[in-house]
Amino acid sequence: MLKGRSLIEPGNFTLEEMDSLFVLAEKIETEERYLRESCKGKLLATLFFEPSTRTRLSFEAAMLRLGGSCLGFADPGSSSAAKGESLADTVRMAASYADAIVMRNPKEGAALLASRYSPVPVINAGDGGHHHPTQTLTDLLTIRRLRGEIKDFTIGFCGDLKFGRTVHSLAKALARHENIKMIFISPKELVIPDYIKHHLKSHNIEFTETRSFEEAMPTLDVLYMTRVQKERFFNEEDYIRLKDTFVLNKERMLYSKGTLIILHPLPRVNEISVEVDRDPRAAYFKQAKYGMYVRMALLASLLGVENA
Ligand code: NCD
């Protein structure tokens, strides 16, 4: 059903298609040998024009665990893009070697453009401050695993809501689920973009914006922390002034529910104190692990081997 398709933003898949990925990811997690040879002989190209640790490694781990192989670059300086090659040509070339392409690029819309030139599935691993759909699959799977279902909760998004692509993708994706309320916590310079607010309004999602962590904390079931996106700032002074506006520490946790789930796409810089890592409500390292399982489910489905 997903065979041959690309994933550029979460809206490309229906809720049923996402659900089938979550069911598959859970099966892969619990059954050690399930689909482990399904991608034998298949190649995944990882084209990373921007730094990444988790996303690239989790895609590589996912493909290797399915029995497939990976090729690609993690530094655009070492690719022909440095010689002036167009994205369209790089993608056409990669598609002639590989069965699927994962791409991260600093330009918004780059993955969509790539998918138009590629005869094989393209997975957007982040296009500038725009979207990051596989992080959203990771976040939704984590919520589903820890809460049992993806509905009836209040989520707080905190940090850099302007440039944070994981926030944009997750907020849009959650707008399709039942009874979700959102609170956006950020400095005024880093508020959630208008296009996301319009999207939420058109889906009748209740949301508020605040500068006060303390005010939001007691009402939250899920807290989605993000780092201030240094690389998207035009000036260093603004970054330095804003980077530590919201830091989650033990004291701030006192305001929260005992059942709170704390998520973070990682990498963390300073916005969650390490003392919070020991709190059972901290779910961000579990979340990273779920990311690998859901990417395994995604790769197997796009390559059409999920029933192998
Ligand atoms: C995120 C990203 O790249 O947008 N990282 C990730 O993929 N896990 C978040 C970030 O870089 O802050």
Side-chain angles (χ1 to χ4, degrees):
M1 163 173 75
L2 292 178
K3 186 175 177 190
R5 305 245 303 262
S6 287
L7 175 60
I8 309 303
E9 61 162 294
N12 295 149
F13 291 175
T14 63
L15 284 182
E16 292 70 33
E17 286 166 343
M18 291 225 191
D19 210 60
S20 67
L21 285 177
F22 300 143
V23 170
L24 189 58
E26 288 178 15
K27 196 155 173 179
I28 289 170
E29 182 193 349
T30 49
E31 291 180 33
E32 212 179 308
R33 308 211 54 74
Y34 191 65
L35 294 183
R36 294 314 196 259
E37 296 292 315
S38 63
C39 285
K40 209 163 178 180
K42 305 256 185 229
L43 271 177
L44 175 68
T46 57
L47 313 182
F48 278 71
F49 295 89
E50 243 193 6
S52 169
T53 313
R54 235 150 324 274
T55 306
R56 188 171 57 81
L57 293 189
S58 71
F59 265 112
E60 290 184 3
M63 192 59 176
L64 296 173
R65 282 175 186 266
L66 293 170
S69 311
C70 306
L71 75 172
F73 55 83
D75 167 18
S78 67
S79 80
S80 286
K83 298 182 190 166
E85 185 176 53
S86 72
L87 183 63
D89 284 3
T90 306
V91 164
R92 272 191 285 227
M93 178 279 305
S96 64
Y97 304 148
D99 301 287
I101 294 172
V102 179
M103 193 182 86
R104 171 170 288 188
N105 195 288
K107 294 204 182 90
E108 276 95 14
L112 180 63
L113 182 106
S115 70
R116 294 201 170 132
Y117 286 95
S118 173
V120 303
V122 172
I123 302 170
N124 182 9
D127 59 327
H130 195 216
H131 276 298
H132 192 347
T134 63
Q135 183 62 47
T136 300
L137 291 175
T138 302
D139 303 337
L140 293 175
L141 175 63
T142 310
I143 293 171
R144 182 184 150 113
R145 291 303 311 273
L146 301 181
R147 288 186 57 85
E149 53 190 6
I150 310 172
K151 62 178 188 179
D152 303 322
F153 61 84
T154 299
I155 180 167
F157 291 94
C158 179
D160 186 346
L161 309 185
K162 178 179 179 188
F163 296 118
R165 56 194 170 197
T166 62
V167 171
H168 305 158
S169 286
L170 182 57
K172 271 182 93 172
L174 282 173
R176 299 199 287 180
H177 291 262
E178 259 173 67
N179 194 23
I180 307 286
K181 296 191 182 75
M182 304 187 190
I183 303 183
F184 296 108
I185 312 156
S186 73
K188 67 176 187 320
E189 293 86 343
L190 299 176
V191 294
I192 190 89
D194 284 343
Y195 83 93
I196 300 288
K197 288 200 255 182
H198 289 144
H199 185 87
L200 299 180
K201 281 182 193 151
S202 70
H203 284 73
N204 294 319
I205 297 293
E206 204 182 298
F207 69 88
T208 52
E209 294 182 270
T210 177
R211 319 262 163 273
S212 163
F213 218 157
E214 284 72 13
E215 187 188 296
M217 268 308 231
T219 62
L220 301 180
D221 301 301
V222 180
L223 171 60
Y224 196 89
M225 292 296 297
T226 61
R227 80 183 163 93
V228 175
Q229 306 277 302
K230 182 177 184 192
E231 65 277 32
R232 311 217 187 280
F233 275 67
F234 293 111
N235 101 43
E236 173 102 18
E237 277 156 43
D238 284 348
Y239 170 70
I240 292 169
R241 182 167 55 79
L242 294 171
K243 70 184 172 66
D244 293 328
T245 316
F246 296 108
V247 177
L248 182 63
N249 55 24
K250 257 175 146 173
E251 287 69 50
R252 283 182 152 155
M253 288 295 293
L254 295 175
Y255 296 91
S256 67
K257 291 187 186 174
T259 53
L260 177 73
I261 296 170
I262 306 164
L263 302 180
H264 190 309
L266 304 176
R268 153 180 59 188
V269 183
N270 199 31
E271 58 283 348
I272 303 182
S273 307
V274 288
E275 64 193 19
V276 177
D277 297 357
R278 286 190 299 273
D279 191 298
R281 291 168 288 184
Y284 29 92
F285 291 114
K286 259 187 227 157
Q287 183 186 359
K289 186 137 197 193
Y290 290 135
M292 181 183 73
Y293 294 125
V294 85
R295 288 180 173 106
M296 289 171 78
L298 176 68
L299 288 171
S301 302
L302 299 184
L303 293 171
V305 296
E306 78 275 28
N307 297 315

